Amino acid sequence: MPPKNAYHDALGDYFAEHAGISPYNAYTDRPAMLELAGDIAGARILDVGCGAGHYAADLLARGAKVVGVDGSATLLEHARARVGERAELRLHDLEEPLGFADDASFDGAVCALVFHHLTRRTQLLGELRRVLRPGGWLLVSTTHPAADWRHFGGSYYADDWVELSLKGSPFSICFQRMPLETFLGELLSAGFVLERLIEPRPVPDLLEIDEAAYDKLHQAPCFLSVRLARP
């Protein structure tokens, strides 16, 4: 992703800390995506934009073999601290081809809350189709178009780049909002087949920790998650 969109330095440290406890990451996005993954024991999985290694740790715990890539050295330091040598972790700019990976070398790929940060999405999707074996799967989560429309206003069909301030911090993140037809259109045009689409709600554990966030995330959508097949 472009340097201004990546989670470097202090922003990377902030994300690494909060992704493990956030109502959005830990209790909504991640449980939904892991449920979409299903039984992954023995599968070789590419964690695209692996961040601080939260997904890698959960995938490993479910018996998968994990290769994680991220463009932020800061986040990779956190990921290595979290999973050690149990996963192969690589510093890699996702705006560039996945030259380190052979054709049909992965059973599945996870791209969690990364897609909307990228400018060369068509290239990445082509590369993911290349490195996935026939019959393999791809999980993608993104910000929900309706949530972006509510927050930023204007046209629902806008595809502008926006900055979202992270509440309670001095940081903001930059991403491109897009309507549902653009999000799904790019995935399907790349040759993937949609198997399932969900609008994640938080897991019940959040109710005991943050009732207000639990109620909020059950009333208004925040994320959109899909499982796709590589024919």
Side-chain angles (χ1 to χ4, degrees):
M1 63 181 73
K4 68 175 183 178
N5 297 359
Y7 296 3
H8 296 300
D9 305 321
L11 174 57
D13 292 333
Y14 176 86
F15 176 80
E17 177 183 355
H18 286 268
I21 58 174
S22 163
Y24 299 93
N25 299 93
Y27 293 93
T28 305
D29 172 67
R30 205 151 56 241
M33 289 279 274
L34 292 170
E35 192 272 330
L36 283 178
D39 182 4
I40 55 174
R44 188 168 189 255
I45 298 175
L46 180 62
D47 187 357
V48 183
C50 65
H54 294 94
Y55 266 96
D58 284 336
L59 295 170
L60 289 166
R62 287 163 172 75
K65 303 169 186 176
V66 180
V67 176
V69 296
D70 202 280
S72 166
T74 303
L75 287 176
L76 281 179
E77 286 182 13
H78 289 282
R80 291 190 178 99
R82 180 162 282 106
V83 303
E85 299 298 321
R86 294 180 295 145
E88 178 185 338
L89 300 176
R90 289 177 169 268
L91 181 65
H92 180 79
D93 182 355
L94 293 175
E95 301 285 351
E96 300 299 327
L98 305 176
F100 60 86
D102 294 333
D103 294 359
S105 57
F106 289 95
D107 300 298
V110 175
C111 185
L113 301 180
V114 174
F115 195 69
H116 48 283
H117 290 297
L118 302 173
T119 63
R120 298 178 182 174
R121 295 190 297 268
T122 299
Q123 174 182 268
L124 175 62
L125 290 172
E127 281 291 273
L128 289 174
R129 195 176 191 282
R130 177 183 68 80
V131 304
L132 287 169
R133 63 169 177 77
W137 49 266
L138 169 64
L139 307 184
V140 183
S141 63
T142 190
T143 59
H144 198 293
D148 292 339
W149 185 30
R150 275 184 80 179
H151 185 84
F152 295 105
S155 170
Y156 166 82
Y157 300 102
D159 61 358
D160 52 327
W161 286 83
V162 294
E163 284 206 18
L164 177 67
S165 297
L166 301 180
K167 190 175 180 180
S169 84
F171 304 112
S172 64
I173 58 175
C174 182
F175 64 92
Q176 186 176 18
R177 60 175 179 166
M178 63 189 83
L180 179 61
E181 68 180 14
T182 299
F183 174 65
L184 287 181
E186 290 185 2
L187 297 169
L188 299 179
S189 294
F192 290 97
V193 176
L194 180 65
E195 292 188 333
R196 191 176 170 196
L197 180 152
I198 60 174
E199 296 167 300
R201 283 77 147 178
V203 293
D205 289 351
L206 181 60
L207 182 60
E208 302 299 319
I209 300 168
D210 190 336
E211 184 176 355
Y214 180 85
D215 290 341
K216 176 182 177 182
L217 288 166
H218 270 275
Q219 294 172 11
C222 182
F223 300 128
L224 191 64
S225 303
V226 294
R227 178 183 170 110
L228 305 118
R230 190 263 197 238

